[in-house]
Amino acid sequence: MIDFYTWTTPNGRKVSILLEELGIDYTTHSIDISKDEQFAPDFLKIAPNNRIPAIVDHDTGQTLMETGAIMLYLADKYGKFSCEGPECWRMMEWLMWQMGGLGPMLGQVHHFVKYNKGTSDYAEKRYSTEAHRLYRVLNERLEGRDYIAGEGRGEYTIADMACWPWISRFEWQEIDMNAYPNVRDWYVRIAERPAVQRGYKVPKDAGDVPMP
Ligand SMILES: N[C@@H](CCC(=O)N[C@@H](CS)C(=O)NCC(=O)O)C(=O)O
């Protein structure tokens, strides 16, 4: 049994979508970051960086913070949503691209463009330009492919599940998805999966999956 500590954010949804796709039993614990619950001493014991999400796997005693580590751990444990051989490294490459680029940069867009518009023209321009660059890079990667990694047209892996919740905030990022048709089609393909629809509403229903 897995205890899952999360909130209604892209980082939380990466893992809730994976848990739903795996179809395993888990118990959800809400950590409301708008009420600073991520600083509670009990949560800090498993997530010392005071950020959601985190898991405790009672089968193995493993505790983990950081979505990259959690997703790799679960994909390895259940032998699903990863790739083999050289494609495993391609998947890893795009997973790291999400962790180091897409997530942090789009997070800054949410901060300056959605929540603090008008406070810094410089930051708005800098992070919006970077968001468009990242969408362009993903659009090029998805040319002729259904999924980010894997042979041929690709396989659905944790690299897709890591990127998708960040792209789901395209409206906050003021991105016209029609300017990135490969990203749009990939996004819709994944949005239509029942497990993604369920995972999007963990730990609570904060609205439907946005559709372009
Ligand atoms: N690199 C971390 C990022 C986690 C993260 O930034 N979580 C945000 C929510 S999306 C959070 O907990 N923020 C709380 C805060 O800023 O205090 C991961 O991939 O797990």
Side-chain angles (χ1 to χ4, degrees):
M1 174 62 89
I2 287 177
D3 276 319
F4 173 44
Y5 298 81
T6 194
W7 192 239
T8 54
T9 70
N11 284 314
R13 286 178 180 143
K14 292 182 209 171
V15 176
S16 54
I17 287 169
L18 175 56
L19 288 165
E20 288 294 329
E21 292 283 9
L22 288 168
I24 57 176
D25 278 343
Y26 65 97
T27 304
T28 302
H29 304 269
S30 284
I31 303 290
D32 185 343
I33 62 174
S34 70
K35 294 186 181 149
D36 281 350
E37 290 177 0
Q38 70 275 31
F39 297 103
D42 280 351
F43 181 64
L44 291 177
K45 283 185 199 151
I46 55 166
N49 193 40
N50 59 263
R51 300 239 154 157
I52 64 94
I55 62 164
V56 179
D57 182 348
H58 294 284
D59 298 343
T60 60
Q62 184 75 57
T63 70
L64 280 174
M65 62 173 187
E66 285 294 322
T67 50
I70 297 169
M71 297 181 94
L72 286 166
Y73 173 80
L74 292 173
D76 180 63
K77 179 175 179 189
Y78 294 97
K80 285 186 179 168
F81 304 118
S82 193
C83 294
E84 308 239 311
E87 277 307 313
C88 176
W89 289 108
R90 191 64 63 219
M91 181 199 81
M92 206 71 92
E93 175 186 72
W94 285 92
L95 188 63
M96 298 304 148
W97 177 81
Q98 188 287 308
M99 301 297 156
L102 191 73
M105 292 300 111
L106 296 185
Q108 296 301 321
V109 176
H110 299 170
H111 185 80
F112 287 105
V113 175
K114 161 91 176 152
Y115 285 113
N116 293 287
K117 213 176 187 53
T119 56
S120 171
D121 289 346
Y122 174 80
E124 278 180 49
K125 186 158 182 274
R126 174 177 166 81
Y127 294 116
S128 293
T129 303
E130 181 63 358
H132 280 280
R133 188 189 70 79
L134 290 161
Y135 269 76
R136 207 161 43 241
V137 168
L138 184 57
N139 200 60
E140 280 166 22
R141 174 62 188 168
L142 288 166
E143 182 65 38
R145 306 182 62 86
D146 293 335
Y147 299 107
I148 292 172
E151 303 283 354
R153 294 194 66 86
E155 277 170 61
Y156 181 50
T157 70
I158 53 173
D160 300 290
M161 291 180 225
C163 293
W164 186 90
W166 284 101
I167 301 296
S168 78
R169 294 220 156 139
F170 61 92
E171 288 161 327
W172 291 21
Q173 297 148 13
E174 301 183 356
I175 294 278
D176 173 7
M177 285 281 252
N178 293 322
Y180 304 99
N182 299 330
V183 176
R184 180 199 59 210
D185 295 352
W186 163 89
Y187 173 81
V188 170
R189 186 173 305 119
I190 294 173
E192 285 170 347
R193 295 178 69 93
V196 172
Q197 297 275 340
R198 290 194 301 275
Y200 191 83
K201 298 197 172 185
V202 174
K204 64 171 190 173
D205 188 347
D208 290 337
V209 172
M211 292 307 262

